[in-house]
Amino acid sequence: MSFNDKPIGIFDSGLGGLTVVKAVLENMPYENIIYLGDSLNVPYGDKTSGQITEFAFNNTKFLLSKGVKAIAIACNTADATSKREILQCFDIPVIGVISPASEKAARLTRNKRVGVIATATAVKSGAYERTIKSYLADCEVFSAPAPALVPLIEAGKTHKSDTQTVEALKLYITPLAEKGIDTLVLGCTHYPLVYDIVKELFPDINIVCSGTSSLSALYDRLKSENMLNNSGKKGEARFFVTGETSYFEKNGGLFLGTSIEGK
Ligand code: DGL
């Protein structure tokens, strides 16, 4: 296997990072992928930075043991708390989600009022606020933690008939809408699984998905390092989880629209 044929390693706490896997499969079809969902420790969003950094290091080491050529942190919470340490300790290209999503939100907003929903730990880190302002200094950023969403999404409650999910989204996003935001960042890679509900509830607000926004950053980085897989052969995705596999296979497969087998 040539170096460029090596897989991209992608990790998240659970199902959320599959939004990045889906984007890579659709747009970079020759790339091989090794995905790790740290389902044993999900949700990350209510853990401390120290705990999340330990999980993120274990995930990185696991992916490196599988021979990956680059790592995509498909988790805003791990990006916010641990990316710097990962970059310091591992000699491999590492791409996060916060910077690409912030750049996109800064580009999209017309009234310079951007909302962010994310996990409690990601909001507490202030990473989105800092990063969006680094792209658009006079932007006002309004952030809200959305703790109920990840457990609901992991449980597969992603349909508009799932009233708990709809009510939680209204509860978290309405105060941001009342601040007059014209752009909302779904600052957790799980949230695009409820994109359709958010769009239906708040049709006039631009929505930025953190996972898919990272795709062009990943592509650009691999290209600049001469690491793109140009084999012309359809890539393969392999899935690993640290905990229970059955819910992951069921809900993840539904989301990706293909059957997946967790190991
Ligand atoms: N999907 C993750 C994120 O982007 C983590 C969510 C969680 O485990 O709380 O933040």
Side-chain angles (χ1 to χ4, degrees):
M1 176 193 279
S2 81
F3 181 84
N4 291 38
D5 291 346
K6 284 175 180 275
I8 301 168
I10 302 178
F11 78 79
D12 180 39
S13 59
L15 292 171
L18 294 179
T19 57
V20 178
V21 173
K22 191 167 190 227
V24 175
L25 289 173
E26 286 170 0
N27 295 282
M28 297 163 73
Y30 308 141
E31 296 296 337
N32 294 300
I33 296 170
I34 301 273
Y35 183 79
L36 177 63
D38 188 9
S39 52
L40 194 64
N41 296 307
V42 73
Y44 280 6
D46 59 2
K47 311 281 188 316
T48 66
S49 295
Q51 286 173 307
I52 297 162
T53 301
E54 194 182 323
F55 303 149
F57 268 56
N58 289 339
N59 299 341
T60 303
K61 285 184 199 154
F62 174 82
L63 293 172
L64 287 173
S65 77
K66 297 286 172 199
V68 300
K69 62 183 175 185
I71 289 186
I73 304 178
C75 174
N76 293 262
T77 315
D79 183 340
T81 54
S82 323
K83 186 172 162 215
R84 194 158 3 122
E85 283 92 334
I86 293 175
L87 283 169
Q88 277 163 3
C89 297
F90 300 95
D91 184 21
I92 186 166
V94 177
I95 293 93
V97 275
I98 293 178
S99 187
S102 298
E103 193 269 330
K104 189 167 178 188
R107 198 159 24 88
L108 278 180
T109 182
R110 289 286 157 262
N111 68 0
K112 299 183 181 175
R113 295 173 85 79
V114 171
V116 179
I117 53 168
T119 67
T121 303
V123 169
K124 200 166 146 216
S125 76
Y128 262 108
E129 192 160 335
R130 275 194 304 280
T131 316
I132 293 171
K133 282 173 180 287
S134 76
Y135 289 106
L136 189 64
D138 56 346
C139 187
E140 285 200 76
V141 181
F142 305 93
S143 306
L149 292 182
V150 168
L152 286 167
I153 292 167
E154 286 282 312
K157 297 193 185 309
T158 57
H159 195 262
K160 59 181 175 190
S161 60
D162 293 310
T163 41
Q164 263 180 296
T165 307
V166 175
E167 289 311 313
L169 286 166
K170 280 189 202 160
L171 178 77
Y172 299 136
I173 303 172
T174 303
L176 304 178
E178 285 170 358
K179 298 275 185 200
I181 60 163
D182 70 351
T183 302
L184 174 72
V185 180
L186 302 185
C188 170
T189 52
H190 280 71
Y191 303 167
L193 278 87
V194 292
Y195 175 94
D196 291 346
I197 307 178
V198 179
K199 196 66 208 164
E200 199 169 309
L201 289 172
F202 302 94
D204 300 331
I205 297 180
N206 301 315
I207 299 172
V208 174
C209 294
S210 54
T212 41
S213 305
S214 70
L215 184 75
S216 53
L218 177 63
Y219 178 86
D220 291 347
R221 182 67 193 274
L222 293 184
K223 190 165 194 273
S224 74
E225 305 262 355
N226 223 357
M227 282 187 180
L228 283 171
N229 187 333
N230 294 316
S231 64
K233 225 173 58 201
K234 194 170 162 20
E236 205 179 81
R238 295 173 68 204
F239 300 91
F240 295 84
V241 281
T242 54
E244 179 61 44
T245 57
S246 57
Y247 90 94
F248 184 86
E249 289 170 349
K250 182 168 164 265
N251 297 339
L254 276 178
F255 172 68
L256 282 181
T258 159
S259 71
I260 60 177
E261 204 179 300
K263 292 198 179 120

